[in-house]
Structure formats: C-alpha cells, structure tokens
PDB file of all heavy atoms in Angstrom:
ATOM      1  N   MET A   1     123.376  45.065  58.418  1.00 92.00           N
ATOM      2  CA  MET A   1     124.421  45.050  59.439  1.00 92.00           C
ATOM      3  C   MET A   1     125.692  44.412  58.908  1.00 92.00           C
ATOM      4  O   MET A   1     125.647  43.537  58.051  1.00 92.00           O
ATOM      5  CB  MET A   1     123.981  44.213  60.633  1.00 92.00           C
ATOM      6  CG  MET A   1     123.061  44.861  61.577  1.00 92.00           C
ATOM      7  SD  MET A   1     122.879  43.789  62.997  1.00 92.00           S
ATOM      8  CE  MET A   1     121.187  44.065  63.375  1.00 92.00           C
ATOM      9  N   SER A   2     126.811  44.830  59.475  1.00 93.00           N
ATOM     10  CA  SER A   2     128.061  44.152  59.163  1.00 93.00           C
ATOM     11  C   SER A   2     128.073  42.797  59.867  1.00 93.00           C
ATOM     12  O   SER A   2     127.381  42.601  60.861  1.00 93.00           O
ATOM     13  CB  SER A   2     129.251  44.986  59.627  1.00 93.00           C
ATOM     14  OG  SER A   2     129.264  45.073  61.038  1.00 93.00           O
ATOM     15  N   GLN A   3     128.838  41.862  59.343  1.00 93.00           N
ATOM     16  CA  GLN A   3     128.910  40.531  59.944  1.00 93.00           C
ATOM     17  C   GLN A   3     129.501  40.603  61.349  1.00 93.00           C
ATOM     18  O   GLN A   3     129.114  39.841  62.230  1.00 93.00           O
ATOM     19  CB  GLN A   3     129.760  39.597  59.070  1.00 93.00           C
ATOM     20  CG  GLN A   3     129.066  39.197  57.788  1.00 93.00           C
ATOM     21  CD  GLN A   3     127.761  38.482  58.062  1.00 93.00           C
ATOM     22  OE1 GLN A   3     127.719  37.514  58.800  1.00 93.00           O
ATOM     23  NE2 GLN A   3     126.689  38.982  57.466  1.00 93.00           N
ATOM     24  N   LYS A   4     130.411  41.528  61.549  1.00 94.00           N
ATOM     25  CA  LYS A   4     131.023  41.693  62.870  1.00 94.00           C
ATOM     26  C   LYS A   4     129.972  42.083  63.905  1.00 94.00           C
ATOM     27  O   LYS A   4     129.946  41.562  65.017  1.00 94.00           O
ATOM     28  CB  LYS A   4     132.105  42.768  62.789  1.00 94.00           C
ATOM     29  CG  LYS A   4     132.858  43.001  64.073  1.00 94.00           C
ATOM     30  CD  LYS A   4     133.958  44.025  63.844  1.00 94.00           C
ATOM     31  CE  LYS A   4     134.763  44.258  65.101  1.00 94.00           C
ATOM     32  NZ  LYS A   4     135.838  45.246  64.860  1.00 94.00           N
ATOM     33  N   ARG A   5     129.077  42.988  63.510  1.00 92.00           N
ATOM     34  CA  ARG A   5     128.025  43.426  64.425  1.00 92.00           C
ATOM     35  C   ARG A   5     127.028  42.300  64.699  1.00 92.00           C
ATOM     36  O   ARG A   5     126.582  42.111  65.835  1.00 92.00           O
ATOM     37  CB  ARG A   5     127.317  44.629  63.834  1.00 92.00           C
ATOM     38  CG  ARG A   5     126.296  45.252  64.741  1.00 92.00           C
ATOM     39  CD  ARG A   5     125.787  46.527  64.126  1.00 92.00           C
ATOM     40  NE  ARG A   5     124.582  46.967  64.801  1.00 92.00           N
ATOM     41  CZ  ARG A   5     123.729  47.842  64.292  1.00 92.00           C
ATOM     42  NH1 ARG A   5     123.946  48.367  63.124  1.00 92.00           N
ATOM     43  NH2 ARG A   5     122.676  48.194  64.972  1.00 92.00           N
ATOM     44  N   SER A   6     126.674  41.532  63.661  1.00 92.00           N
ATOM     45  CA  SER A   6     125.734  40.420  63.827  1.00 92.00           C
ATOM     46  C   SER A   6     126.282  39.370  64.771  1.00 92.00           C
ATOM     47  O   SER A   6     125.555  38.835  65.608  1.00 92.00           O
ATOM     48  CB  SER A   6     125.431  39.780  62.481  1.00 92.00           C
ATOM     49  OG  SER A   6     124.799  40.692  61.624  1.00 92.00           O
ATOM     50  N   ARG A   7     127.543  39.058  64.648  1.00 91.00           N
ATOM     51  CA  ARG A   7     128.170  38.063  65.534  1.00 91.00           C
ATOM     52  C   ARG A   7     128.179  38.548  66.971  1.00 91.00           C
ATOM     53  O   ARG A   7     127.939  37.774  67.901  1.00 91.00           O
ATOM     54  CB  ARG A   7     129.607  37.781  65.081  1.00 91.00           C
ATOM     55  CG  ARG A   7     129.729  36.856  63.904  1.00 91.00           C
ATOM     56  CD  ARG A   7     131.158  36.365  63.745  1.00 91.00           C
ATOM     57  NE  ARG A   7     132.123  37.444  63.659  1.00 91.00           N
ATOM     58  CZ  ARG A   7     132.467  38.058  62.519  1.00 91.00           C
ATOM     59  NH1 ARG A   7     131.909  37.708  61.374  1.00 91.00           N
ATOM     60  NH2 ARG A   7     133.361  39.006  62.520  1.00 91.00           N
ATOM     61  N   ARG A   8     128.440  39.819  67.156  1.00 91.00           N
ATOM     62  CA  ARG A   8     128.514  40.375  68.506  1.00 91.00           C
ATOM     63  C   ARG A   8     127.146  40.370  69.203  1.00 91.00           C
ATOM     64  O   ARG A   8     127.064  40.278  70.429  1.00 91.00           O
ATOM     65  CB  ARG A   8     129.066  41.801  68.425  1.00 91.00           C
ATOM     66  CG  ARG A   8     129.477  42.407  69.739  1.00 91.00           C
ATOM     67  CD  ARG A   8     130.247  43.690  69.544  1.00 91.00           C
ATOM     68  NE  ARG A   8     129.686  44.556  68.532  1.00 91.00           N
ATOM     69  CZ  ARG A   8     128.681  45.413  68.720  1.00 91.00           C
ATOM     70  NH1 ARG A   8     128.106  45.492  69.899  1.00 91.00           N
ATOM     71  NH2 ARG A   8     128.248  46.178  67.737  1.00 91.00           N
ATOM     72  N   LEU A   9     126.066  40.447  68.416  1.00 91.00           N
ATOM     73  CA  LEU A   9     124.724  40.497  68.980  1.00 91.00           C
ATOM     74  C   LEU A   9     124.117  39.119  69.221  1.00 91.00           C
ATOM     75  O   LEU A   9     123.018  39.018  69.756  1.00 91.00           O
ATOM     76  CB  LEU A   9     123.803  41.301  68.059  1.00 91.00           C
ATOM     77  CG  LEU A   9     124.103  42.800  67.955  1.00 91.00           C
ATOM     78  CD1 LEU A   9     123.222  43.438  66.915  1.00 91.00           C
ATOM     79  CD2 LEU A   9     123.944  43.473  69.291  1.00 91.00           C
ATOM     80  N   ARG A  10     124.806  38.057  68.835  1.00 91.00           N
ATOM     81  CA  ARG A  10     124.268  36.709  69.031  1.00 91.00           C
ATOM     82  C   ARG A  10     124.242  36.328  70.499  1.00 91.00           C
ATOM     83  O   ARG A  10     125.011  36.854  71.311  1.00 91.00           O
ATOM     84  CB  ARG A  10     125.139  35.691  68.299  1.00 91.00           C
ATOM     85  CG  ARG A  10     124.777  35.514  66.866  1.00 91.00           C
ATOM     86  CD  ARG A  10     125.561  34.366  66.278  1.00 91.00           C
ATOM     87  NE  ARG A  10     125.688  34.583  64.844  1.00 91.00           N
ATOM     88  CZ  ARG A  10     126.774  34.328  64.138  1.00 91.00           C
ATOM     89  NH1 ARG A  10     127.834  33.818  64.710  1.00 91.00           N
ATOM     90  NH2 ARG A  10     126.789  34.558  62.847  1.00 91.00           N
ATOM     91  N   GLY A  11     123.360  35.377  70.825  1.00 91.00           N
ATOM     92  CA  GLY A  11     123.329  34.833  72.177  1.00 91.00           C
ATOM     93  C   GLY A  11     122.599  35.720  73.153  1.00 91.00           C
ATOM     94  O   GLY A  11     121.927  36.682  72.780  1.00 91.00           O
ATOM     95  N   THR A  12     122.710  35.389  74.427  1.00 91.00           N
ATOM     96  CA  THR A  12     122.033  36.148  75.475  1.00 91.00           C
ATOM     97  C   THR A  12     123.063  36.775  76.406  1.00 91.00           C
ATOM     98  O   THR A  12     124.195  36.305  76.508  1.00 91.00           O
ATOM     99  CB  THR A  12     121.110  35.235  76.308  1.00 91.00           C
ATOM    100  OG1 THR A  12     121.881  34.160  76.834  1.00 91.00           O
ATOM    101  CG2 THR A  12     119.991  34.675  75.458  1.00 91.00           C
ATOM    102  N   THR A  13     122.652  37.846  77.064  1.00 91.00           N
ATOM    103  CA  THR A  13     123.512  38.524  78.026  1.00 91.00           C
ATOM    104  C   THR A  13     122.719  38.771  79.303  1.00 91.00           C
ATOM    105  O   THR A  13     121.492  38.659  79.311  1.00 91.00           O
ATOM    106  CB  THR A  13     124.015  39.871  77.469  1.00 91.00           C
ATOM    107  OG1 THR A  13     122.892  40.645  77.071  1.00 91.00           O
ATOM    108  CG2 THR A  13     124.927  39.667  76.285  1.00 91.00           C
ATOM    109  N   THR A  14     123.409  39.107  80.366  1.00 92.00           N
ATOM    110  CA  THR A  14     122.733  39.382  81.629  1.00 92.00           C
ATOM    111  C   THR A  14     122.276  40.835  81.666  1.00 92.00           C
ATOM    112  O   THR A  14     122.869  41.698  81.026  1.00 92.00           O
ATOM    113  CB  THR A  14     123.666  39.122  82.824  1.00 92.00           C
ATOM    114  OG1 THR A  14     124.836  39.928  82.678  1.00 92.00           O
ATOM    115  CG2 THR A  14     124.063  37.667  82.889  1.00 92.00           C
ATOM    116  N   THR A  15     121.208  41.076  82.409  1.00 92.00           N
ATOM    117  CA  THR A  15     120.719  42.443  82.562  1.00 92.00           C
ATOM    118  C   THR A  15     121.499  43.138  83.672  1.00 92.00           C
ATOM    119  O   THR A  15     122.291  42.516  84.381  1.00 92.00           O
ATOM    120  CB  THR A  15     119.222  42.460  82.925  1.00 92.00           C
ATOM    121  OG1 THR A  15     119.054  41.710  84.115  1.00 92.00           O
ATOM    122  CG2 THR A  15     118.382  41.862  81.835  1.00 92.00           C
ATOM    123  N   ALA A  16     121.231  44.416  83.824  1.00 91.00           N
ATOM    124  CA  ALA A  16     121.858  45.176  84.893  1.00 91.00           C
ATOM    125  C   ALA A  16     121.387  44.633  86.245  1.00 91.00           C
ATOM    126  O   ALA A  16     120.251  44.188  86.388  1.00 91.00           O
ATOM    127  CB  ALA A  16     121.501  46.645  84.770  1.00 91.00           C
ATOM    128  N   THR A  17     122.261  44.653  87.211  1.00 90.00           N
ATOM    129  CA  THR A  17     121.951  44.118  88.539  1.00 90.00           C
ATOM    130  C   THR A  17     120.775  44.840  89.177  1.00 90.00           C
ATOM    131  O   THR A  17     119.972  44.229  89.878  1.00 90.00           O
ATOM    132  CB  THR A  17     123.186  44.244  89.448  1.00 90.00           C
ATOM    133  OG1 THR A  17     124.324  43.740  88.742  1.00 90.00           O
ATOM    134  CG2 THR A  17     123.018  43.446  90.711  1.00 90.00           C
ATOM    135  N   ALA A  18     120.636  46.133  88.926  1.00 92.00           N
ATOM    136  CA  ALA A  18     119.560  46.914  89.528  1.00 92.00           C
ATOM    137  C   ALA A  18     118.186  46.456  89.035  1.00 92.00           C
ATOM    138  O   ALA A  18     117.193  46.566  89.759  1.00 92.00           O
ATOM    139  CB  ALA A  18     119.752  48.389  89.201  1.00 92.00           C
ATOM    140  N   GLU A  19     118.101  45.930  87.821  1.00 92.00           N
ATOM    141  CA  GLU A  19     116.822  45.512  87.251  1.00 92.00           C
ATOM    142  C   GLU A  19     116.463  44.074  87.605  1.00 92.00           C
ATOM    143  O   GLU A  19     115.305  43.661  87.458  1.00 92.00           O
ATOM    144  CB  GLU A  19     116.858  45.636  85.724  1.00 92.00           C
ATOM    145  CG  GLU A  19     117.131  47.029  85.215  1.00 92.00           C
ATOM    146  CD  GLU A  19     116.042  48.015  85.584  1.00 92.00           C
ATOM    147  OE1 GLU A  19     114.873  47.614  85.635  1.00 92.00           O
ATOM    148  OE2 GLU A  19     116.369  49.181  85.829  1.00 92.00           O
ATOM    149  N   THR A  20     117.417  43.287  88.067  1.00 94.00           N
ATOM    150  CA  THR A  20     117.214  41.854  88.262  1.00 94.00           C
ATOM    151  C   THR A  20     116.103  41.560  89.250  1.00 94.00           C
ATOM    152  O   THR A  20     115.261  40.687  89.002  1.00 94.00           O
ATOM    153  CB  THR A  20     118.528  41.197  88.739  1.00 94.00           C
ATOM    154  OG1 THR A  20     119.545  41.450  87.770  1.00 94.00           O
ATOM    155  CG2 THR A  20     118.361  39.703  88.886  1.00 94.00           C
ATOM    156  N   ARG A  21     116.028  42.270  90.350  1.00 93.00           N
ATOM    157  CA  ARG A  21     115.020  41.994  91.372  1.00 93.00           C
ATOM    158  C   ARG A  21     113.616  42.232  90.837  1.00 93.00           C
ATOM    159  O   ARG A  21     112.693  41.448  91.088  1.00 93.00           O
ATOM    160  CB  ARG A  21     115.289  42.865  92.612  1.00 93.00           C
ATOM    161  CG  ARG A  21     114.356  42.586  93.761  1.00 93.00           C
ATOM    162  CD  ARG A  21     114.529  41.170  94.295  1.00 93.00           C
ATOM    163  NE  ARG A  21     113.485  40.854  95.265  1.00 93.00           N
ATOM    164  CZ  ARG A  21     112.963  39.649  95.448  1.00 93.00           C
ATOM    165  NH1 ARG A  21     113.369  38.638  94.741  1.00 93.00           N
ATOM    166  NH2 ARG A  21     112.032  39.463  96.337  1.00 93.00           N
ATOM    167  N   ARG A  22     113.418  43.313  90.073  1.00 94.00           N
ATOM    168  CA  ARG A  22     112.104  43.604  89.496  1.00 94.00           C
ATOM    169  C   ARG A  22     111.678  42.520  88.518  1.00 94.00           C
ATOM    170  O   ARG A  22     110.508  42.142  88.471  1.00 94.00           O
ATOM    171  CB  ARG A  22     112.130  44.955  88.784  1.00 94.00           C
ATOM    172  CG  ARG A  22     112.087  46.116  89.740  1.00 94.00           C
ATOM    173  CD  ARG A  22     112.242  47.447  89.055  1.00 94.00           C
ATOM    174  NE  ARG A  22     111.427  47.546  87.864  1.00 94.00           N
ATOM    175  CZ  ARG A  22     111.593  48.483  86.932  1.00 94.00           C
ATOM    176  NH1 ARG A  22     112.552  49.379  87.067  1.00 94.00           N
ATOM    177  NH2 ARG A  22     110.815  48.530  85.883  1.00 94.00           N
ATOM    178  N   ILE A  23     112.615  42.010  87.749  1.00 94.00           N
ATOM    179  CA  ILE A  23     112.310  40.941  86.789  1.00 94.00           C
ATOM    180  C   ILE A  23     111.960  39.655  87.524  1.00 94.00           C
ATOM    181  O   ILE A  23     111.030  38.947  87.147  1.00 94.00           O
ATOM    182  CB  ILE A  23     113.494  40.749  85.822  1.00 94.00           C
ATOM    183  CG1 ILE A  23     113.662  41.991  84.952  1.00 94.00           C
ATOM    184  CG2 ILE A  23     113.290  39.514  84.952  1.00 94.00           C
ATOM    185  CD1 ILE A  23     114.945  42.037  84.177  1.00 94.00           C
ATOM    186  N   GLN A  24     112.674  39.362  88.584  1.00 94.00           N
ATOM    187  CA  GLN A  24     112.400  38.150  89.373  1.00 94.00           C
ATOM    188  C   GLN A  24     110.988  38.194  89.952  1.00 94.00           C
ATOM    189  O   GLN A  24     110.269  37.204  89.929  1.00 94.00           O
ATOM    190  CB  GLN A  24     113.413  38.002  90.500  1.00 94.00           C
ATOM    191  CG  GLN A  24     114.793  37.592  90.052  1.00 94.00           C
ATOM    192  CD  GLN A  24     115.797  37.623  91.181  1.00 94.00           C
ATOM    193  OE1 GLN A  24     115.552  38.207  92.230  1.00 94.00           O
ATOM    194  NE2 GLN A  24     116.936  37.010  90.955  1.00 94.00           N
ATOM    195  N   VAL A  25     110.569  39.347  90.464  1.00 93.00           N
ATOM    196  CA  VAL A  25     109.239  39.494  91.036  1.00 93.00           C
ATOM    197  C   VAL A  25     108.178  39.336  89.946  1.00 93.00           C
ATOM    198  O   VAL A  25     107.162  38.660  90.141  1.00 93.00           O
ATOM    199  CB  VAL A  25     109.103  40.846  91.755  1.00 93.00           C
ATOM    200  CG1 VAL A  25     107.655  41.118  92.145  1.00 93.00           C
ATOM    201  CG2 VAL A  25     109.993  40.881  92.977  1.00 93.00           C
ATOM    202  N   ALA A  26     108.425  39.927  88.781  1.00 94.00           N
ATOM    203  CA  ALA A  26     107.455  39.845  87.685  1.00 94.00           C
ATOM    204  C   ALA A  26     107.292  38.429  87.166  1.00 94.00           C
ATOM    205  O   ALA A  26     106.223  38.049  86.700  1.00 94.00           O
ATOM    206  CB  ALA A  26     107.880  40.772  86.540  1.00 94.00           C
ATOM    207  N   LEU A  27     108.355  37.625  87.280  1.00 92.00           N
ATOM    208  CA  LEU A  27     108.294  36.238  86.819  1.00 92.00           C
ATOM    209  C   LEU A  27     107.857  35.279  87.911  1.00 92.00           C
ATOM    210  O   LEU A  27     107.803  34.075  87.697  1.00 92.00           O
ATOM    211  CB  LEU A  27     109.661  35.807  86.282  1.00 92.00           C
ATOM    212  CG  LEU A  27     110.127  36.531  85.013  1.00 92.00           C
ATOM    213  CD1 LEU A  27     111.507  36.066  84.612  1.00 92.00           C
ATOM    214  CD2 LEU A  27     109.135  36.331  83.880  1.00 92.00           C
ATOM    215  N   GLY A  28     107.555  35.809  89.095  1.00 89.00           N
ATOM    216  CA  GLY A  28     107.066  34.974  90.184  1.00 89.00           C
ATOM    217  C   GLY A  28     108.137  34.133  90.843  1.00 89.00           C
ATOM    218  O   GLY A  28     107.878  33.042  91.342  1.00 89.00           O
TER     219      GLY A  28
END
C-alpha cells in the first residue's frame, strides 16, 4: 500500500446508521 492509503485506513470509523441497531442487539 501507499503511505497515503495506510494513513487513511488508521483508526476506527462509525458504521452505517441502518446497521447500528442490529449490532446493538447482537452485543446485548
């Protein structure tokens, strides 16, 4: 990968709003 791409992929991001409820239920 280019360094620019590696830097952009660092850290965490939020998921799509539509998926959030399903994830919350799965995590109790």
Side-chain angles (χ1 to χ4, degrees):
M1 281 188 216
S2 66
Q3 288 301 307
K4 182 177 182 179
R5 185 173 166 198
S6 297
R7 281 194 305 273
R8 192 169 43 83
L9 292 174
R10 274 188 206 141
T12 56
T13 55
T14 57
T15 57
T17 312
E19 301 296 326
T20 302
R21 184 64 189 147
R22 284 175 45 195
I23 294 168
Q24 287 173 345
V25 170
L27 294 178

